[in-house]
Amino acid sequence: MPKIAFDQVSKSYGVVEVLPPFDLTLEDSEFTVLVGPSGCGKSTTLRMLAGLETVTSGEIFFDDKPISKLDPKERDLAMVFQDYALYPHMNIAKNMSFALRLARVPKAEITEKVERVASMLNIAHLLDRKPAELSGGQRQRVAMGRALVRDAGTFLFDEPLSNLDAKLRGKMRAELAEMRDTIDKNMVYVTHDQVEAMTLGDRIVVMSDGLIQQQGTPEQLFKEPVNTFVAGFIGAPTMNFLDGELVEEGGTQWVRGDCYALPLPADIATRLQSAPDRAVTVGLRPSSFTPDTTQGAPIELKVVVSEYLGAQSVLVTHCGDAEILVETQSASPVRSGTVQTFGVLTDEIMIFDKTSGLRL
Amino acid sequence: MQIANANRLTPYLFLAPAAVIMAVALLYPIGYMIYASFLDWNPSQRIGEAEFVGLRNYIGLLNDAAFLESFWVTIKFAAVVVTIEMVLGVGLALLLDRNIRGMSALRTLFILPMMIAPIVVGLMWRYMYHPSVGIFNKTLKSLGFDPIPWLSDGNWAFASVVIADVWQWTPFIFILSLAALQSLPQSAMEAARIDGATGWQQIVYIKLPLMMPVLIVTLLLRLIDAFKVLEVILVLTNGGPGLSTEILSLRISRTASEFRELGEAAAMSNYLLILLVILTFAMFAYNKAVEARTARLRKAAEEDL
């Protein structure tokens, strides 16, 4: 259960630099999620940690021990792969015990460990079967079991749920969350799914284009994103971004666009005093709108489509040329094609620099 | 109703030309050969004039020491060359399954021998085995060793034809093994590395077992081919010295052309055919069994959930 530290680690394939040098520290016994769109370098980071990819420069430390030159087997870690990577020719018991058998653990101990983990994961009745005889969800459990049997210090997960159907994924996600709370190990989890990241991570590292955009707790990322990328990536439905301009009128800071004008609360207004540019990007979460016009600042939106999701509906609306998603309770239905006035909870407005995308 | 009938017949109509060609080109000669094997037939006779002798040819062959010797040489030859070729071919594939600059050129180079016509291979090796001007004996002599009677001593002649065959056909096993290796699930290999397997352990516990289906089919294909080998040995030793390298196809051709016993040659061919059919069926049966097993298990798994 070491503390893991990346120190100016970078990765290049030939002349193509996929990961510029970065620092990242994963505290002991933490569940860290690396999240980002495909090609952002999250899997490469994990694979360098696992020892499946070499490190081009920099060093990875487990506690204070440099490990980037060590073989995977010398790093005391276990890994769950996206396609499970079970050994097709071995039965489940053999799959789970492979590492222990290689390490020449006594037979009785192997049996004991395999049976304990198998019953914990509800796969004890499958031990004699081959991977091809299992369903996707069962294979997933076996992959998990194979990692757990190892009792390694660090667990790595490379998109372990992405091959499952939606229902099973939700179930496994809940089980993983339970496991996170009962097993006191370092866990590093890679996913492109922000819902998985939010529900599982003690800490989330958001990556894009090989750069770490932001790291923090799920709540920090949702409430205090540092730039438009993180703000747009975290949260579903995604945040709306509008072009706007800062203006001062009657002692109040306003942000104004083609079809709206919203007053800014005092704390944001103060921060924006020093903003270099008057042209900004305004971020509004779909949940920041309310049909109750007595609350917040009014905004007129033309409802184009209403997507019914059950208790909630997502309205696709137009504000001038811009498309805005609005989340509402299905209990108060809104007709498509009408123009409606909504209240905007101005406390939740986020203002970003138009060129750099940084939060102001 | 009529249209429905016509529609049902359409596929057979399309199949018909192929079926006719099959019948003419495959079934007719085989039937002819089987019929001929029951005859005492001299090439100067028309087939109608030959005497029908029932199973005499077959029974006679079972008591013919020269035929049994040939049969034994064939089996020995096939077993030895295929074993050596499998070990070398799979070994080379394991060695060369990596991304090194120039590897694709090297791979092409490796499979060159397979592309040379067997008769040319035979001639080439005959010159190299030549007792006085061949490269092997010349090299041995210049190094101060005694020359080796490559083709004139029974044991050496057998070894010589084995070497030539191994040289030509190891690449076949090499490319199939390499293809099998490269289609193995990469992540299973990575999982093995994380599980702590050394290079050898990965080969023994993961790669070889996963390659096994391809290896078994490769083995059977090579065995079937090895039983039919002719040209290289014909050119190298013509079966000699004595009967030391007289494999079955050579004996068949000699029985037909030198001994002028067409019926007996046909019976020999049928013995060889029976052996090959057994091998082929073994191969199909193995494939079928594997497929059936996987299908059954997958079905069981799906019902489980």
Side-chain angles (χ1 to χ4, degrees):
Chain A
M1 286 150 271
K3 175 176 132 181
I4 300 165
F6 289 78
D7 179 21
Q8 288 298 299
V9 171
S10 75
K11 177 70 187 175
S12 308
Y13 294 105
V15 292
V16 184
E17 187 178 58
V18 290
L19 280 171
F22 68 96
D23 293 326
L24 177 64
T25 307
L26 314 177
E27 295 297 337
D28 182 13
S29 300
E30 212 175 31
F31 197 115
T32 310
V33 178
L34 305 180
V35 67
S38 47
C40 72
K42 57 191 191 299
S43 278
T44 309
T45 306
L46 189 79
R47 291 168 60 82
M48 286 196 294
L49 183 56
L52 297 173
E53 299 277 355
T54 55
V55 171
T56 307
S57 72
E59 185 58 77
I60 305 174
F61 294 95
F62 277 13
D63 288 331
D64 290 319
K65 190 173 138 219
I67 56 124
S68 71
K69 299 284 184 294
L70 296 184
D71 268 352
K73 61 173 175 170
E74 294 166 285
R75 301 186 184 195
D76 185 31
L77 37 82
M79 183 159 171
V80 179
F81 290 81
Q82 179 173 6
D83 60 357
Y84 317 138
L86 300 178
Y87 310 123
H89 57 296
M90 297 184 196
N91 68 23
I92 301 313
K94 290 242 163 68
N95 257 288
M96 288 173 67
S97 62
F98 188 59
L100 301 178
R101 284 184 286 136
L102 289 179
R104 304 203 180 285
V105 174
K107 260 211 176 107
E109 196 182 330
I110 293 180
T111 319
E112 192 268 321
K113 279 187 173 171
V114 167
E115 279 172 3
R116 184 166 47 81
V117 171
S119 62
M120 185 173 110
L121 291 169
N122 283 327
I123 50 173
H125 60 296
L126 304 173
L127 287 178
D128 294 332
R129 302 232 194 134
K130 294 252 176 92
E133 305 168 52
L134 304 188
S135 65
Q138 290 169 333
R139 278 182 227 183
Q140 219 287 326
R141 279 162 203 271
V142 174
M144 214 79 98
R146 184 173 66 181
L148 286 177
V149 163
R150 295 277 307 280
D151 211 21
T154 305
F155 285 88
L156 308 179
F157 299 88
D158 189 3
E159 310 217 13
L161 304 186
S162 55
N163 282 4
L164 300 178
D165 61 58
K167 197 175 159 193
L168 209 51
R169 195 180 315 155
K171 188 159 171 259
M172 287 308 292
R173 200 168 61 213
E175 285 185 23
L176 260 175
E178 198 188 325
M179 213 168 91
R180 170 196 64 188
D181 299 334
T182 50
I183 299 172
D184 184 29
K185 302 275 187 193
N186 282 345
M187 300 203 185
V188 186
Y189 189 104
V190 161
T191 180
H192 61 268
D193 181 352
Q194 62 96 16
V195 179
E196 268 172 40
M198 296 291 274
T199 48
L200 289 173
D202 291 324
R203 195 152 60 103
I204 300 175
V205 178
V206 182
M207 297 180 74
S208 168
D209 296 329
L211 298 173
I212 294 177
Q213 302 290 333
Q214 188 177 3
Q215 45 177 307
T217 63
E219 198 181 359
Q220 280 170 346
L221 294 184
F222 187 76
K223 292 202 167 147
E224 301 295 335
V226 295
N227 57 27
T228 47
F229 178 82
V230 177
F233 194 79
I234 300 290
T238 53
M239 182 182 263
N240 302 297
F241 292 107
L242 300 168
D243 285 339
E245 195 186 356
L246 297 176
V247 286
E248 195 166 332
E249 235 176 70
T252 320
Q253 276 271 15
W254 293 71
V255 60
R256 203 159 59 188
D258 289 343
C259 61
Y260 67 92
L262 300 169
L264 294 174
D267 58 325
I268 300 180
T270 331
R271 255 188 289 153
L272 290 174
Q273 294 292 333
S274 56
D277 201 344
R278 296 284 94 185
V280 293
T281 301
V282 181
L284 288 170
R285 294 225 180 259
S287 55
S288 304
F289 294 87
T290 162
D292 178 5
T293 45
T294 60
Q295 285 187 52
I299 186 169
E300 266 190 8
L301 300 172
K302 180 164 189 271
V303 180
V304 185
V305 181
S306 169
E307 294 176 333
Y308 179 78
L309 299 176
Q312 253 114 46
S313 291
V314 174
L315 307 178
V316 181
T317 68
H318 281 172
C319 167
D321 291 337
E323 189 180 273
I324 296 184
L325 300 178
V326 175
E327 209 173 29
T328 62
Q329 299 297 319
S330 298
S332 48
V334 180
R335 282 236 315 278
S336 303
T338 57
V339 175
Q340 294 270 335
T341 306
F342 293 89
V344 176
L345 306 176
T346 47
D347 287 350
E348 297 177 11
I349 294 177
M350 294 183 194
I351 306 291
F352 300 92
D353 186 276
K354 196 167 181 175
T355 41
S356 69
L358 287 176
R359 176 107 182 267
L360 297 173
Chain B
M1 183 63 194
Q2 258 181 341
I3 289 175
N5 264 342
N7 276 345
R8 232 184 7 224
L9 289 177
T10 314
Y12 299 101
L13 201 69
F14 280 110
L15 283 174
V20 170
I21 291 173
M22 267 284 272
V24 172
L26 189 69
L27 298 181
Y28 175 73
I30 287 182
Y32 201 88
M33 181 176 77
I34 291 174
Y35 176 61
S37 69
F38 299 121
L39 302 176
D40 182 7
W41 182 20
N42 186 296
S44 60
Q45 297 168 306
R46 278 187 290 120
I47 192 161
E49 297 164 358
E51 184 194 352
F52 188 84
V53 293
L55 288 173
R56 202 182 72 192
N57 286 331
Y58 289 95
I59 295 163
L61 281 176
L62 287 182
N63 297 316
D64 177 355
F67 168 74
L68 293 179
E69 176 69 20
S70 265
F71 205 82
W72 167 238
V73 167
T74 308
I75 288 181
K76 195 169 70 169
F77 175 81
V80 170
V81 293
V82 173
T83 308
I84 298 177
E85 286 163 14
M86 286 300 286
V87 171
L88 287 181
V90 174
L92 274 176
L94 287 168
L95 273 177
L96 294 183
D97 174 33
R98 58 195 67 198
N99 291 320
I100 304 175
R101 198 189 301 261
M103 188 50 80
S104 58
L106 206 57
R107 280 179 201 149
T108 317
L109 210 64
F110 266 111
I111 60 173
L112 264 180
M114 215 174 74
M115 304 184 211
I116 303 175
I119 214 89
V120 178
V121 172
L123 287 169
M124 213 173 77
W125 282 90
R126 197 166 79 183
Y127 289 125
M128 293 200 288
Y129 284 138
H130 192 280
S132 51
V133 299
I135 180 141
F136 295 130
N137 276 358
K138 256 168 61 181
T139 311
L140 284 174
K141 265 190 258 179
S142 69
L143 292 173
F145 293 103
D146 284 337
I148 288 173
W150 293 107
L151 301 174
S152 49
D153 169 87
N155 289 330
W156 277 111
F158 186 80
S160 300
V161 295
V162 164
I163 291 170
D165 193 87
V166 165
W167 178 85
Q168 187 175 22
W169 289 109
T170 299
F172 175 75
I173 291 167
F174 166 70
I175 50 169
L176 290 187
S177 307
L178 194 62
L181 260 178
Q182 290 178 340
S183 65
L184 293 188
Q186 216 49 50
S187 59
M189 242 77 82
E190 290 178 344
R193 279 175 67 194
I194 291 199
D195 273 347
T198 60
W200 269 115
Q201 286 169 329
Q202 284 176 50
I203 291 175
V204 174
Y205 295 122
I206 310 290
K207 289 183 185 173
L208 286 180
L210 288 183
M211 288 164 75
M212 207 40 88
V214 176
L215 291 186
I216 286 178
V217 172
T218 311
L219 176 88
L220 283 166
L221 284 175
R222 259 318 283 148
L223 263 183
I224 290 171
D225 238 29
F227 278 117
K228 297 187 302 185
V229 69
L230 175 71
E231 297 97 323
V232 174
I233 297 181
L234 182 79
V235 175
L236 271 181
T237 65
N238 197 17
L243 293 179
S244 58
T245 57
E246 192 178 75
I247 36 81
L248 215 46
S249 13
L250 204 55
R251 176 142 200 100
I252 293 169
S253 111
R254 285 180 64 196
T255 309
S257 54
E258 277 178 43
F259 312 148
R260 302 171 68 80
E261 294 279 1
L262 292 186
E264 209 179 300
M268 276 186 205
S269 303
N270 281 339
Y271 273 132
L272 185 59
L273 184 67
I274 290 167
L275 188 73
L276 295 182
V277 166
I278 290 173
L279 272 177
T280 311
F281 270 105
M283 183 168 99
F284 282 136
Y286 171 82
N287 274 345
K288 261 258 166 64
V290 169
E291 271 166 32
R293 192 187 126 82
T294 329
R296 196 180 68 237
L297 300 179
R298 173 130 334 128
K299 203 163 152 245
E302 271 159 16
E303 278 166 6
D304 239 34
L305 202 92

